[in-house]
Amino acid sequence: MNNNHPYYGYPYYGYPQQNQNQDPAQQQEQPYKQQNSKTHFVMGVAAGAAIAYLLTNKKVKQGVAATGERAWSAVRGEVEELKERLEDTQAELEYYRNLHKGEE
């Protein structure tokens, strides 16, 4: 057994993959290179156009802003509620500390 390659066949940092020693013409092409690149280009253009349309649409902008406002106000409300609970808990602890001071 060769100790230099304990996991033979599996690439890991510092060691080349098995098929790198072969002639580049014999190496298999990557799956993304085998697929139709024109289709990928057209899909990318269509996705970019859709995103650009959504980002420049006034109604979409207003909807995103309204949703952001509602989310932010909900977060602020929850933080205020958490602060109130913490203050109530601190007041209760202080009450019980003072209650048992006189018994000692």
Side-chain angles (χ1 to χ4, degrees):
M1 178 176 207
N2 187 352
N3 288 334
N4 291 335
H5 301 286
Y7 303 104
Y8 188 74
Y10 295 99
Y12 53 95
Y13 185 75
Y15 290 96
Q17 295 180 7
Q18 261 184 318
N19 61 0
Q20 285 184 347
N21 297 332
Q22 298 174 354
D23 185 30
Q26 293 177 350
Q27 290 182 356
Q28 265 187 337
E29 287 190 30
Q30 300 295 328
Y32 66 89
K33 289 183 181 178
Q34 294 173 351
Q35 296 173 352
N36 188 355
S37 61
K38 288 181 184 178
T39 304
H40 288 146
F41 177 73
V42 171
M43 293 293 288
V45 168
I51 291 172
Y53 173 74
L54 290 176
L55 291 176
T56 57
N57 190 339
K58 189 175 182 178
K59 288 184 180 181
V60 172
K61 284 183 184 179
Q62 290 173 346
V64 169
T67 302
E69 278 184 44
R70 284 193 298 257
W72 182 246
S73 66
V75 167
R76 281 193 328 222
E78 291 298 321
V79 168
E80 291 299 322
E81 180 67 27
L82 186 61
K83 285 180 183 177
E84 288 178 12
R85 287 183 184 181
L86 182 60
E87 289 173 358
D88 290 345
T89 304
Q90 287 176 340
E92 286 181 23
L93 284 172
E94 190 65 30
Y95 171 76
Y96 286 119
R97 285 180 187 153
N98 290 334
L99 184 66
H100 293 294
K101 278 187 178 178
E103 296 175 1
E104 292 176 4

